[in-house]
Amino acid sequence: MTEPVLEGGAIGSSAPRIAARRLAHGRGRYTDDIVLPRMLHAAFVRSPHAHARIVRVDGAEAARRPGVFRVVTGADLADICRPMLAIAAHRPGHKSAPQPAMAQDVAYWQGQPVAALVAESRAAAEDAAELVEVEYEPLDPVADPAEALAPGSPAIHPSLGDNLAFAHRIEVGDVDAAFDSAATVVEHDFDFGRHTAVTLEPRVTIADYRPADGTLVVHQSHQSPYQMQEVYAALLGIDDHRVRVICPDVGGGFGLKINVHDDEIATAAIARLLGRPVKFCADRLEAFGADAHSRDHTVRGRIAVSEGGEILAMEVDDLSAIGAYTAFIRFGIAEGMMTITNAGAPYCVPAYRGAMRAAYVNKPIVGMYRGVGVPIACAVTEQLCDLAAHAIGMDPVAFRRINYLDPDTLPGASVGGIQLPRIEFSRALDRLVETMGYDALRAEQAALRERGIHRGIGVATFIEPTAYGPGYYGPSEAPVSTQEGTTVKLEPSGRIRCITSVTDQGQGTLTAIAQIVADQLGLGIDEIDVIAGDSAVTPFGGGAWASRGLAMGGEASLEAALALKENVLAIAGPMLQADPASLDLKRGTVVDRDGGTPRLSLGEVARIGHFRQDTLPADLQPELAVTRHHVPNRAHYYVAYGVLGCHLELDPETGSIELLGVWVADECGRIVNPLLVDEQLRGGVVQGLGAAFFEECVYDGSGQLLNGTLADYLVPMATDIPDIATAHIDGLEKTTRLGAKGVGEGGTIGATAAAWLAVNDALAPFGKTVSAQPFTPERILAAIEGR
């Protein structure tokens, strides 16, 4: 092949290209010039309005700028990219409007893409984007969910008739009678601020459509390559076997990168439109309006208790603002559903009413984020328990002890319908109380209050449904895989290549999978190479979501490693004229099972199995690559649980809060790598504390984001967080061989609740509580002053 030659082209009309000459297949002569396209960069023009009609998009001046290849509008993509329509088939009454990759006639939130500038460099694209003239006709925005559902409120999408995306109700027992007969009834309002993930690395997509064979290759910072393979294939009308999605190990996902974002779909569509590789990277500023958001709930809760403190009934009414559309594939209504189904889960609640409503508003779409509604359920439940305990003069820990579900009644369903295995919540509570020195902290708290020092203690019980199975996504008809798969193969060198559907965004899952495989095959971890994140290479699977990596991918890897071991020994047996059952693998060597005498290196078995099959029995098929998949045996999930404690000091003069200590006692099944487990817990705790004390996307009444920079949107810093002590309760997932459960979200679920309890405990001498997170100094002072 000759060296590539750079050829010129008129900017805006034809691209600069690299031309090369090569031998034609089977002809013995050179073909004409083959064009090897260079990558282009996309920058998006985004709506400055929360709600506006798009009258005109004029990109003429921008198209004339040096380096600009094309200005692309939503209309340009309409013929090659289907709109996203998110309707959960198993939720009757759920409705959503079709969502285009870029706004076409109307913009529905501040930050929605309206046009794309495609240029030779990111800088050229961004500079030209500023020259695109868009004429808008502002429309009245609806930014508040209560306003959105009020009678007479204009529908954001007129075709839907109103702004109610979905409503659901659960009722167990005679709720009204229980409240009427209760000795004490406590009710409270809760406001959970909207926030976003702020991952270490932003979202990046590189899409390369190859017209010659109609294939699309996408490199993407995403958690699920197979999900996105299905999405791109469906929306762009490409057969799925011609779509390849590669998701390397990236810095942080937190659920944000399991969502389907419109600008990523638009990037792939632009690549197909132009027949050129196109790259898009969301910068920090645009990410605040372009990334999926989370939370944004208002909840009213009630609890009824007897004179002795037993819970008689609970009621949770949740209203959430899910943005302008339902999140594609992952369904933003899930947060509200998870809130009302997980509320009250650790406790014996004879009567329960849960109701959720999800409203469309002119804000960014709410998608998946660490915990997905369970942190809200936990915070509401635990705060109601503390308020009830305070009202009857009972210690909050003692209140929980008498109300936990009796383990002898499990397995069974919680009052909201969560399927629970046998759980002894009191074991985790006992461990936490001991670890944090609860009684000593209470005594110290009382003494310090005499001196005007206000400290608070919060103890929150949580469940963490992990590794969601086919019973969750299957009935929704969403193309989401709830299995994980691993191929383990022996290379001729005697080393192992492990190819898994699980992806890694910093959790360390691939390290733990390597440990499992190495342990079963008697090798060191450095002799295991793990490959992940490529839909053209790995077995089919879900990737990383709902704390599934080791619980499911680890199980598949264990089963594959065991099967490969059996195959290796089946080859070694004839080579040694021994019964394969009498052999084992240790330290890269085939040994006698009894006594451990070394007999044969694993490398020699690999050499014979790969290259000298003629020396083996004729009826022996040497299979040195094995694939296994795992789907949860329980239809829904594997349930981890724990108790989290928080200790803090509140300054009533300034409203400032100092965190003094955080403790977690957690049961997450078999622990393969203790360091990774502890750091997953700690990382989850930090995100939960971020929601409690720092993070909030603040919008005004017209749907304008007021704090869309990291100077204004606060995230927890290392100096804000005290030491986080972890302790573990022995337990196993009994339906799998590995016995692991998930651990990635438990810290987040429990931390916000425990922090809320501790803040209100510190405010108890003032007879006040806070009802909205994050707990900023302004909100603390407003609570104290009764504002």
Side-chain angles (χ1 to χ4, degrees):
M1 181 181 290
T2 60
E3 290 295 318
V5 178
L6 180 65
E7 295 186 350
I11 298 298
S13 57
S14 62
R17 60 191 186 276
I18 297 175
R21 301 182 69 85
R22 67 178 184 183
L23 281 170
H25 176 66
R27 293 190 179 184
R29 64 178 179 80
Y30 285 103
T31 65
D32 293 332
D33 288 350
I34 304 299
V35 177
L36 304 178
R38 294 195 309 182
M39 184 170 71
L40 300 172
H41 296 258
F44 288 93
V45 178
R46 299 183 181 274
S47 171
H49 302 279
H51 198 195
R53 195 177 314 281
I54 301 169
V55 178
R56 178 178 59 90
V57 178
D58 184 353
E61 183 176 356
R64 290 192 292 268
R65 296 286 294 179
V68 171
F69 187 75
R70 182 159 173 179
V71 180
V72 180
T73 67
D76 295 326
L77 302 183
D79 290 337
I80 63 169
C81 184
R82 299 185 180 101
M84 296 171 276
L85 182 59
I87 302 293
H90 64 323
R91 302 298 181 197
H94 175 219
K95 59 180 185 285
S96 181
Q99 179 191 355
M102 291 197 296
Q104 295 177 15
D105 300 314
V106 178
Y108 291 100
W109 75 87
Q110 179 196 25
Q112 185 177 11
V114 172
L117 269 294
V118 187
E120 292 180 293
S121 69
R122 176 172 173 171
E126 290 180 342
D127 288 346
E130 297 181 1
L131 301 177
V132 175
E133 295 183 3
V134 183
E135 181 182 346
Y136 296 97
E137 178 187 323
L139 302 172
D140 291 335
V142 179
D144 178 78
E147 176 189 343
L149 299 185
S153 181
I156 292 173
H157 301 285
S159 62
L160 300 182
D162 57 35
N163 295 317
L164 180 65
F166 182 64
H168 190 73
R169 186 182 180 93
I170 300 170
E171 186 144 354
V172 178
D174 194 337
V175 178
D176 294 331
F179 274 100
D180 290 341
S181 64
T184 301
V185 173
V186 175
E187 56 186 58
H188 195 70
D189 293 327
F190 305 85
D191 188 349
F192 296 85
R194 173 178 282 250
H195 54 272
T196 189
V198 196
T199 54
L200 180 64
E201 293 182 21
R203 294 183 296 108
V204 181
T205 301
I206 301 174
D208 181 9
Y209 182 73
R210 301 165 184 179
D213 57 7
T215 60
L216 174 68
V217 179
V218 181
H219 295 256
Q220 188 169 2
S221 55
H222 202 274
Q223 295 171 221
S224 181
Y226 276 109
Q227 172 191 299
M228 294 311 297
Q229 173 183 287
E230 294 301 304
V231 167
Y232 290 125
L235 297 183
L236 297 177
I238 305 172
D239 290 340
D240 56 4
H241 73 291
R242 296 189 180 276
V243 179
R244 180 183 185 184
V245 180
I246 301 168
C247 300
D249 193 351
V250 297
F254 312 132
L256 168 71
K257 294 176 183 175
I258 200 66
N259 296 299
V260 179
H261 288 87
D262 51 8
D263 46 24
E264 295 168 346
I265 301 302
T267 300
I270 292 169
R272 185 175 188 189
L273 177 71
L274 305 181
R276 297 283 295 276
V278 179
K279 177 180 180 179
F280 164 66
C281 177
D283 66 32
R284 288 296 182 193
L285 290 177
E286 70 180 324
F288 280 102
D291 287 2
H293 286 185
S294 65
R295 313 303 190 243
D296 203 352
H297 292 243
T298 56
V299 183
R300 184 160 188 79
R302 291 201 301 161
I303 189 170
V305 298
S306 68
E307 291 183 358
E310 294 87 0
I311 297 174
L312 301 177
M314 186 179 294
E315 184 172 10
V316 175
D317 188 345
D318 175 79
L319 172 61
S320 63
I322 65 170
Y325 297 94
T326 295
F328 188 53
I329 298 293
R330 293 290 175 166
F331 307 124
I333 62 173
E335 281 222 339
M337 288 296 297
M338 296 290 274
T339 296
I340 64 170
T341 56
N342 282 269
Y347 302 104
C348 180
V349 183
Y352 173 68
R353 180 183 294 134
M356 62 77 65
R357 292 170 296 158
Y360 290 122
V361 296
N362 292 116
K363 290 180 182 178
I365 297 169
V366 165
M368 299 292 102
Y369 178 71
R370 204 170 191 170
V372 192
V374 187
I376 299 171
C378 181
V380 171
T381 299
E382 295 302 301
Q383 186 62 23
L384 290 175
C385 286
D386 258 32
L387 292 170
H390 178 74
I392 64 175
M394 182 181 287
D395 179 80
V397 167
F399 183 89
R400 284 163 174 78
R401 287 191 195 282
I402 67 171
N403 282 293
Y404 279 149
L405 284 167
D406 183 345
D408 291 337
T409 66
L410 300 173
S414 75
V415 71
I418 300 298
Q419 298 297 318
L420 299 175
R422 180 181 170 85
I423 291 176
E424 295 184 60
F425 289 106
S426 59
R427 292 178 61 215
L429 182 64
D430 292 343
R431 186 66 179 276
L432 182 88
V433 166
E434 176 187 2
T435 301
M436 71 184 294
Y438 178 81
D439 292 336
L441 289 179
R442 283 295 184 197
E444 179 188 51
Q445 178 190 48
L448 290 174
R449 281 181 177 175
E450 296 294 325
R451 296 164 46 193
I453 297 174
H454 298 276
R455 291 189 173 179
I457 301 166
V459 174
T461 305
F462 63 88
I463 66 164
E464 180 190 3
T466 72
Y468 278 80
Y472 185 77
Y473 270 110
S476 76
E477 298 292 347
V480 174
S481 176
T482 54
Q483 65 178 330
E484 297 301 341
T486 297
T487 298
V488 179
K489 65 178 182 175
L490 177 64
E491 299 292 353
S493 64
R495 302 300 191 264
I496 298 296
R497 181 162 286 157
C498 175
I499 308 166
T500 179
S501 62
V502 174
T503 61
D504 204 322
Q505 294 78 41
Q507 303 95 321
T509 306
L510 302 185
T511 298
I513 283 177
Q515 287 180 258
I516 292 169
V517 173
D519 181 67
Q520 296 305 311
L521 298 177
L523 295 170
I525 192 172
D526 58 338
E527 297 174 285
I528 312 295
D529 180 36
V530 181
I531 297 172
D534 187 336
S535 69
V537 174
T538 69
F540 207 95
W545 53 274
S547 301
R548 68 195 296 101
L550 208 63
M552 294 181 61
E555 181 73 12
S557 301
L558 174 63
E559 296 291 349
L562 288 170
L564 178 61
K565 179 179 179 178
E566 182 179 346
N567 291 355
V568 167
L569 297 180
I571 297 171
M575 293 174 66
L576 297 171
Q577 296 185 343
D579 182 356
S582 70
L583 304 174
D584 201 357
L585 287 177
K586 300 288 184 184
R587 297 176 296 279
T589 304
V590 178
V591 302
D592 288 329
R593 186 176 296 278
D594 296 331
T597 302
R599 300 291 302 277
L600 189 67
S601 74
L602 186 58
E604 181 62 13
V605 177
R607 187 183 73 82
I608 296 298
H610 283 297
F611 306 129
R612 291 303 309 274
Q613 300 94 336
D614 60 294
T615 66
L616 298 173
D619 60 348
L620 176 61
Q621 290 291 333
E623 295 186 51
L624 297 180
V626 177
T627 299
R628 292 290 183 270
H629 281 83
H630 176 68
V631 177
N633 296 326
R634 184 175 293 113
H636 291 86
Y637 29 67
Y638 302 146
V639 179
Y641 70 96
V643 182
L644 195 146
C646 180
H647 185 215
L648 54 79
E649 184 172 316
L650 182 150
D651 185 341
E653 298 297 324
T654 65
S656 62
I657 292 171
E658 179 185 1
L659 288 167
L660 302 175
V662 177
W663 301 263
V664 191
D666 176 81
E667 193 272 282
C668 60
R670 188 185 303 279
I671 296 175
V672 174
N673 187 312
L675 180 61
L676 291 177
V677 167
D678 285 348
E679 295 314 311
Q680 277 291 293
L681 275 174
R682 291 188 177 107
V685 167
V686 171
Q687 282 198 288
L689 295 176
F693 295 109
F694 301 100
E695 299 186 52
E696 183 179 18
C697 295
V698 180
Y699 280 84
D700 66 15
S702 61
Q704 294 291 309
L705 180 64
L706 303 180
N707 63 332
T709 75
L710 285 175
D712 302 300
Y713 181 98
L714 303 183
V715 295
M717 309 289 283
T719 53
D720 299 317
I721 306 299
D723 288 340
I724 301 170
T726 60
H728 300 285
I729 312 302
D730 292 336
L732 293 173
E733 172 52 52
K734 299 186 183 302
T735 64
T736 66
R737 195 189 299 237
L738 181 62
K741 305 176 185 178
V743 72
E745 295 165 287
T748 302
I749 292 166
T752 300
W756 206 321
L757 301 177
V759 169
N760 281 343
D761 187 48
L763 289 171
F766 302 95
K768 305 294 184 180
T769 60
V770 289
S771 59
Q773 66 168 49
F775 314 125
T776 62
E778 294 83 359
R779 284 176 173 157
I780 297 297
L781 292 176
I784 293 173
E785 296 167 7
R787 292 186 282 115

